[in-house]
């Protein structure tokens, strides 16, 4: 009977070791997984902020181009004349308008 008791104690100790090993492995995996998720979240946040700044810069460029156009380059309604056969057509203003449109698209 002494061998049976020794085997039972060994199995019991082995089960304890396995349980605690699984517990500690789970805790360490949880910390690792949480740090990975946090890092991904921070990267996404930085990307969103960068895109927002890019958008603000392109809007500012478009507003600046629109502001710096001389008033005589605009038609009475405030729009640029795009008809090349019109005597008031200005190629420079037309190209600046196209640059503004491109800046808005990007």
């Amino acid at each position: 009977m002494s061998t049976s008791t020794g085997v039972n104690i060994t199995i019991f100790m082995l089960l304890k070791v396995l349980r605690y090993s699984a517990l500690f492995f789970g805790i360490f995996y949880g910390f690792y997984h949480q740090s990975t998720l946090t890092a991904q979240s921070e990267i996404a946040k930085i990307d969103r902020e960068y895109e927002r700044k890019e958008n603000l810069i392109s809007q500012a460029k478009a507003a600046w181009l629109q502001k710096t156009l001389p008033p005589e380059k605009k038609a009475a309604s405030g729009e640029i004349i795009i008809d090349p056969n019109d005597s008031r057509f200005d190629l420079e203003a037309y190209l600046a308008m196209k640059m503004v449109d491109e800046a808005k698209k990007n």
Side-chain angles (χ1 to χ4, degrees):
M1 280 207 170
S2 65
T3 59
S4 173
T5 306
V7 172
N8 286 341
I9 291 174
T10 306
I11 291 174
F12 180 69
M13 295 298 270
L14 181 62
L15 287 176
K16 274 181 134 178
V17 168
L18 287 175
R19 285 180 187 159
Y20 280 107
S21 297
L23 174 68
F24 288 126
F25 175 75
I27 290 172
F28 288 124
Y29 175 75
F31 282 131
Y32 171 75
H33 189 63
Q34 182 64 34
S35 67
T36 303
L37 292 176
T38 304
Q40 288 174 350
S41 173
E42 287 296 319
I43 290 171
K45 180 180 175 184
I46 291 170
D47 286 343
R48 284 191 306 271
E49 182 65 21
Y50 184 79
E51 289 174 5
R52 185 185 71 82
K53 286 180 181 180
E54 274 186 332
N55 190 18
L56 287 175
I57 289 170
S58 66
Q59 288 176 356
K61 283 182 180 179
W64 182 81
L65 280 175
Q66 198 67 16
K67 178 183 168 189
T68 57
L69 283 177
E72 65 269 3
K73 304 295 183 187
K74 297 180 182 178
S77 65
E79 298 207 7
I80 297 173
I81 300 167
I82 58 172
D83 181 20
N85 294 327
D86 191 339
S87 63
R88 298 175 296 156
F89 175 72
D90 184 21
L91 181 62
E92 184 180 349
Y94 177 72
L95 293 175
M97 179 189 69
K98 288 297 182 183
M99 286 176 57
V100 168
D101 291 342
E102 282 296 317
K104 287 180 182 177
K105 287 180 183 176
N106 293 332

